[in-house]
Amino acid sequence: MSLWIINGSIWNEASGSLETKHVKVENGKIEQIVDGAETPDTGSAEVIDAKGKLVSAGLIDMHVHLRDPGFEYKEDIATGTRSAAKGGFTTIACMPNTRPVTDTPETVKYITNKAKQEGVVNVLPYASITKNELGRELTDFAALKEAGAIGFTDDGVGVQNAQMMKNAMALAQSMNMPIIAHCEDDTLVEGAWASEGEFSRKHGLKGIPNESEAIHVGRDVLLAEATGVHYHVCHVSTEQSVRLIRLAKSIGVRVTAEVCPHHLILSDEDIPGVDDANWKMNPPLRTPRDVQAVIEALEDGTIDMVVTDHAPHSAEEKARAVQLAPFGIVGFETAFPLLYTKFVQTGKWTLGFLLQRMTSDPARVFGLESGRLEQGAPADITIIDLDNERAVDPSTFASKSNNTPFGGWKLSGWPVATIVAGKVAWAE
């Protein structure tokens, strides 16, 4: 199948500017990128005129929750991948805290098979580190890898036992597989939902201290140093975690890290009150000092990439009293516009920097073929209208869920088409 994307604006890192180009796609690959001054012979190919729009390598999200199997009332692979495509993502990696937990080859294959049948973007499944994510017994790493798992994580809960984590790291290293860690010491968070900071003090709430995350980061970078494993830290949110990761990188530990848009943009001081569970997430929103720390860490490469931690929940669940409501917000459909509006339009980041942290950097960290807009690369492509400003309307989300604190925010930089393996997966 042939496709031409003509008149698109492509970021040139060398010149630091956008240049008009035509992109030819053939059989799922980028075959040619032609200077915009030329008139391409499109023949009988499908043509997309991207004049005035950004054409980028497809966005990559290495931390998402598709809720399938087991929680399909929140999301399933069909709706989750459509939501991802609407947000400009062409590759996503789904977490194993499903029901059943993704801890057997059969569940891994269920996800990959269903993604091929019903999904519209590339879906890469993680498997759990421990059986049923209980932290008591390691899963069969070899069988899970053979079934298609790309790494191991107990995301949703931290591995509390240090010996268990060290054993997992040693086993993963022997198979050249990464360990992806949700860093949280359970003894410090029980009964709390907001960060220890101005908001929790103002409302008389028990707070979740920064140490609850950083203690596990510190423990795990030492274990990663001892085992040599590729250790990846989920959703970094604290200044202390940043310091530890930066130090570990400086001495050669194989550690990488990610951050979510909400931890780059919001602090606990933005939470409007104790009645709206759409502001409840894990890790919680931290202090302004922590926000500045993770921004600087993303900028200097201490944190390698942006992820959404897309975490859909039903309206009924999020309508409960905050203490009883589940943690998490949806993220696919607002991620790029939020970051583009907050950081690129204000001149803090270049467009190229944002694209790098959402495309080539996650691809580099996890050894993916995608994340490149160049000849021979997979034709995973996102087209974005940088000039279109509109308000976030959760009622229009392709996701089954609309749990977001960003409703009504006016943002620019909305995806208008997403192409996966040379085929249009979503278009406005």
Side-chain angles (χ1 to χ4, degrees), residues 198-320:
E198 185 60 32
F199 178 82
S200 62
R201 286 190 290 270
K202 176 182 176 182
H203 293 280
L205 301 173
K206 177 184 177 182
I208 298 175
N210 283 15
E211 310 89 80
S212 63
E213 175 179 289
I215 283 172
H216 269 207
V217 174
R219 177 198 74 177
D220 288 353
V221 294
L222 291 171
L223 298 177
E225 181 183 26
T227 60
V229 76
H230 171 200
Y231 168 65
H232 182 78
V233 187
C234 289
H235 40 51
V236 175
S237 69
T238 74
E239 183 269 338
Q240 293 92 330
S241 296
V242 165
R243 276 191 278 128
L244 291 163
I245 295 164
R246 187 175 285 128
L247 174 61
K249 284 192 168 189
S250 75
I251 61 172
V253 179
R254 291 180 64 198
V255 56
T256 57
E258 64 188 38
V259 66
C260 304
H262 44 277
H263 291 125
L264 292 163
I265 291 172
L266 299 172
S267 78
D268 64 334
E269 296 181 16
D270 294 308
I271 304 173
V274 296
D275 299 322
D276 187 351
N278 285 328
W279 294 79
K280 180 181 180 179
M281 56 206 73
N282 189 12
L285 297 176
R286 305 288 187 178
T287 69
R289 177 180 174 182
D290 294 305
V291 173
Q292 187 57 37
V294 295
I295 291 171
E296 291 174 1
L298 187 68
E299 292 171 347
D300 71 18
T302 300
I303 294 175
D304 299 83
M305 70 188 73
V306 174
V307 301
T308 67
D309 194 8
H310 177 78
H313 295 290
S314 70
E316 293 75 17
E317 289 170 318
K318 278 295 192 176
R320 297 172 188 163

Side-chain angles (χ1 to χ4, degrees), residues 35-258:
D35 188 86
E38 300 182 24
T39 302
D41 179 10
T42 58
S44 61
E46 181 182 356
V47 176
I48 296 175
D49 190 346
K51 186 175 182 178
K53 310 292 194 301
L54 171 70
V55 176
S56 165
L59 307 182
I60 298 171
D61 189 346
M62 296 305 296
H63 187 141
V64 317
H65 299 269
L66 295 180
R67 305 302 192 202
D68 189 353
F71 299 109
E72 290 88 348
Y73 68 95
K74 302 173 190 270
E75 194 79 282
D76 58 38
I77 288 170
T79 61
T81 58
R82 282 200 296 272
S83 180
K86 191 174 179 183
F89 293 96
T90 56
T91 296
I92 59 178
C94 57
M95 289 297 172
N97 55 341
T98 49
R99 287 295 178 273
V101 169
T102 309
D103 60 3
T104 65
E106 291 75 22
T107 308
V108 172
K109 290 175 183 175
Y110 164 86
I111 292 168
T112 55
N113 290 337
K114 192 169 183 182
K116 288 174 184 175
Q117 294 165 4
E118 300 182 14
V120 297
V121 304
N122 303 306
V123 176
L124 308 174
Y126 293 117
S128 62
I129 294 171
T130 65
K131 292 183 179 179
N132 213 31
E133 290 194 329
L134 294 175
R136 298 171 186 164
E137 184 180 358
L138 291 181
T139 55
D140 187 339
F141 282 19
L144 291 164
K145 178 181 179 180
E146 184 178 354
I150 63 157
F152 304 104
T153 178
D154 274 6
D155 183 64
V157 291
V159 175
Q160 303 300 305
N161 184 292
Q163 185 64 59
M164 182 69 66
M165 183 58 106
K166 186 174 184 180
N167 292 346
M169 288 184 174
L171 182 56
Q173 164 59 13
S174 73
M175 302 165 54
N176 196 30
M177 292 284 277
I179 291 289
I180 297 91
H182 175 110
C183 292
E184 185 174 36
D185 186 313
D186 289 351
T187 64
L188 293 171
V189 302
E190 188 175 352
W193 65 270
S195 186
E196 192 175 81
E198 185 60 32
F199 178 82
S200 62
R201 286 190 290 270
K202 176 182 176 182
H203 293 280
L205 301 173
K206 177 184 177 182
I208 298 175
N210 283 15
E211 310 89 80
S212 63
E213 175 179 289
I215 283 172
H216 269 207
V217 174
R219 177 198 74 177
D220 288 353
V221 294
L222 291 171
L223 298 177
E225 181 183 26
T227 60
V229 76
H230 171 200
Y231 168 65
H232 182 78
V233 187
C234 289
H235 40 51
V236 175
S237 69
T238 74
E239 183 269 338
Q240 293 92 330
S241 296
V242 165
R243 276 191 278 128
L244 291 163
I245 295 164
R246 187 175 285 128
L247 174 61
K249 284 192 168 189
S250 75
I251 61 172
V253 179
R254 291 180 64 198
V255 56
T256 57
E258 64 188 38

